[in-house]
Amino acid sequence: MRRTEINGIPLYWDELPGPFTAHLVFGTGIEDEPFPRLGITELAGQLALAAVAARACDEIAFAAEGRFTRFSASGEPERVAELVNLLCRALAEPPVDGLAAAVRKVQARRLREKRWDRFQERELGFRYGLRGPGKVAWAAPAVAHIGAADVRAWAAERFTRDGAVLVVGGRPPEALDPRLPEPSHGPRAGRPVVEPLPDVTGCWIEGPDGYGEQVTVSFEGPATPAGHLAVDIARARALRDERMTVNLTGSLEVSSSYVGGGRMLFWLVAETDELGVQAVAEGLDATLRELVERGPAEDEVRRAERAWSERLDGDDQVHGQLVTAALDHLAGLEVFDIAGVRAALASLGPADIRTALVAYPSTAVLTLPEHCAPGPDSPFAPEPERSGGGFHEAYEYRPKLFGPAGRAERMYLSDEGLAHWTTWCHHVVRWHQVAGLGVFPDGRRVLYGERGTVIDIRADWYKSGGDLIATVDARVPASLRFPMSEAGPI
């Protein structure tokens, strides 16, 4: 792997067999978006993609993720180079005349994804609420109302040369001449590290719809070769546990996501059936706790190292390592090439693996299928109620009609925030933790809190409901208010 620079943009490349491929990667994504403008990065990307979609390349792809946005193209080198050049121009000034079509694409993709809620997003939303990595779990309620000026301003701020990396799977063509604007406000500040919400670790939660008969345990670890090797060792040891061999009905896989601050979230995902849920959960947890307490044996480390080394020999791994180098560069992590990864893995011993897993007991979350629960001796507690606490003083709003549903319904307005109480639960959004306020044409409001709480406010439901909504509007800054249609999600 070689590193150079082109027009101020870092460029990583290597000679690889197969189709010539280029990836233009930006260190911006869903995590950076204010909640009222969720989806704006994807909108800008779709507009740029539409401007180059007619170019003759074998494949063009685009994805806006939590921390990164990536454009990929493969085909003849000169054509790919031309496409990258044009793409940079389109990102510098998105062709907003196609905004309506871009909105439809964003809405359609998010609707497709919602049909099979993914457990990673469910858990990130549980861990972080409506902040940082947790934003990927939320729909974009106001994407249809994002204006052309907003998209262009966002692109000018985010798609600049200081936040971009180019990856090329072959010798860079002479025609490659990507030009991105300088940042308008000087060097971009680093993304702040978002800590998980309190009282979420050590819990078990139910998987989303369509999760199936799976058991998942997740935890934080370092975003280093030691962290990745540690979770592979945990997987290999778990597969030898009798509780797993008897009750696994499919695979045991590893997944990961970078959450900032040099930390990864690692998931061990086990396929089982309803009868095996408790045993598999116990087996995964016991395996990880034993590794934390005693560490692995030397031969376990060396077996895992050899397995990694064998995987690094393939062309796919070399290409993947190029992309990983770009992501590591944008995340501010140490950039390893293949030789660097091999050296780092060879230097690891049992103590390093134990250290990489030390955060497991304090960061673990267990995800189980619906209607299942861990065994009676499980160290995992049920998902906590996200009430957000109470207020010292508050004004009470009661429903106009006292039917069975309304008898215990209350809204409490305070200088500290807004609370909604029902027979089953209560939710609190404090004014300094408001993520957004959705405004419907009929006067209804939906208040979103950073902790993941949502309060639906209807003026015609409460006595003095108009005063309630007027007070909420006055409390929430205009920058956090956004229009919503009746079809919008709650």
Side-chain angles (χ1 to χ4, degrees):
M1 180 172 64
R2 282 154 278 194
R3 183 191 188 282
T4 184
E5 194 171 283
I6 181 167
N7 298 334
I9 303 171
L11 171 64
Y12 292 90
W13 68 279
D14 203 346
E15 296 277 10
L16 296 178
F20 181 86
T21 303
H23 303 275
L24 180 62
V25 189
F26 293 89
T28 194
I30 299 169
E31 292 186 30
D32 302 295
E33 300 172 347
F35 183 67
R37 294 197 292 281
L38 277 187
I40 194 169
T41 304
E42 188 175 358
L43 274 183
Q46 289 288 0
L47 289 170
L49 200 63
V52 301
R55 308 308 301 179
C57 285
D58 295 340
E59 185 177 344
I60 304 172
F62 159 70
E65 302 171 4
R67 288 180 159 253
F68 307 105
T69 298
R70 180 166 68 180
F71 300 86
S72 304
S74 62
E76 292 296 325
E78 297 300 319
R79 293 186 181 275
V80 171
E82 183 183 6
L83 183 141
V84 171
N85 298 343
L86 293 173
L87 186 63
C88 289
R89 288 186 219 163
L91 288 168
E93 193 169 350
V96 293
D97 53 323
L99 186 58
V103 166
R104 288 174 55 198
K105 290 180 180 179
V106 173
Q107 290 176 319
R109 185 193 63 77
R110 290 184 177 245
L111 183 60
R112 286 193 298 270
E113 288 192 351
K114 188 172 178 61
R115 289 173 184 156
W116 60 85
D117 291 340
R118 294 177 290 184
F119 72 90
Q120 289 102 331
E121 282 78 359
R122 160 79 167 98
E123 189 186 311
L124 288 169
F126 169 72
R127 282 182 181 265
Y128 294 95
L130 239 172
R131 309 166 308 134
K135 291 179 184 177
V136 300
W138 292 78
V143 68
H145 302 282
I146 296 175
D150 290 327
V151 174
R152 280 188 162 166
W154 185 256
E157 177 186 346
R158 293 288 167 174
F159 294 121
T160 58
R161 69 179 62 178
D162 71 323
V165 174
L166 190 58
V167 174
V168 179
R171 185 172 294 277
E174 291 185 6
L176 188 61
D177 186 30
R179 296 185 180 274
L180 291 167
E182 291 277 2
S184 56
H185 303 292
R188 185 184 304 172
R191 181 189 283 111
V193 177
V194 177
E195 297 297 331
L197 295 169
D199 304 322
V200 297
T201 54
C203 298
W204 69 271
I205 60 177
E206 285 191 353
D209 294 338
Y211 180 66
E213 301 301 324
Q214 293 184 148
V215 174
T216 302
V217 65
S218 68
F219 59 95
E220 280 190 7
T224 62
H228 289 276
L229 197 67
V231 74
D232 277 3
I233 291 171
R235 175 184 178 275
R237 181 178 283 198
L239 285 170
R240 300 194 296 272
D241 187 291
E242 184 178 358
R243 288 164 289 196
M244 306 294 290
T245 57
V246 171
N247 292 289
L248 276 182
T249 61
S251 62
L252 174 59
E253 301 296 338
V254 172
S255 182
S256 63
S257 178
Y258 183 65
V259 292
R263 302 172 303 180
M264 302 288 293
L265 267 183
F266 292 105
W267 286 272
L268 283 168
V269 186
E271 294 179 331
T272 183
D273 57 19
E274 189 172 351
L275 295 176
V277 164
Q278 290 189 359
V280 168
E282 291 172 3
L284 289 173
D285 179 61
T287 296
L288 284 155
R289 290 183 189 274
E290 185 178 10
L291 284 170
V292 171
E293 182 178 349
R294 301 178 184 175
E298 178 68 29
D299 66 308
E300 288 182 284
V301 180
R302 300 283 70 88
R303 280 200 302 269
E305 180 206 344
R306 287 194 295 272
W308 260 88
S309 294
E310 290 173 4
R311 292 203 298 267
L312 291 173
D313 289 332
D315 293 336
D316 288 344
Q317 284 296 320
V318 176
H319 184 269
Q321 192 59 37
L322 278 172
V323 177
T324 299
L327 300 181
D328 287 348
H329 172 89
L330 292 170
L333 300 173
E334 183 177 358
V335 176
F336 290 94
D337 59 12
I338 298 295
V341 172
R342 290 187 193 279
L345 293 172
S347 70
L348 297 174
D352 301 299
I353 301 305
R354 183 181 178 188
T355 300
L357 293 171
V358 72
Y360 172 78
S362 61
T363 63
V365 170
L366 177 68
T367 304
L368 301 178
E370 287 185 297
H371 313 302
C372 293
D377 299 325
S378 173
F380 291 95
E383 179 177 347
E385 169 63 35
R386 288 254 175 101
S387 65
F391 300 140
H392 293 94
E393 294 182 0
Y395 187 85
E396 182 181 71
Y397 289 84
R398 301 187 180 193
K400 292 178 180 178
L401 299 176
F402 280 86
R407 194 166 291 129
E409 183 105 6
R410 297 288 188 276
M411 200 76 76
Y412 294 96
L413 183 68
S414 164
D415 287 340
E416 299 169 70
L418 183 70
H420 181 213
W421 289 67
T422 70
T423 305
W424 304 276
C425 61
H426 70 279
H427 300 292
V428 174
V429 176
R430 298 185 181 274
W431 300 126
H432 69 283
Q433 294 176 332
V434 172
L437 178 67
V439 179
F440 284 84
D442 63 358
R444 174 180 157 211
R445 303 289 190 267
V446 180
L447 186 66
Y448 296 85
E450 291 181 351
R451 292 176 60 91
T453 50
V454 181
I455 299 178
D456 193 357
I457 315 167
R458 296 177 181 269
D460 58 355
W461 179 252
Y462 295 96
K463 297 176 181 178
S464 303
D467 293 340
L468 170 63
I469 283 183
T471 304
V472 171
D473 285 349
R475 285 284 189 174
V476 178
S479 61
L480 296 181
R481 296 199 292 268
F482 54 91
M484 291 180 69
S485 62
E486 289 302 326
I490 301 177

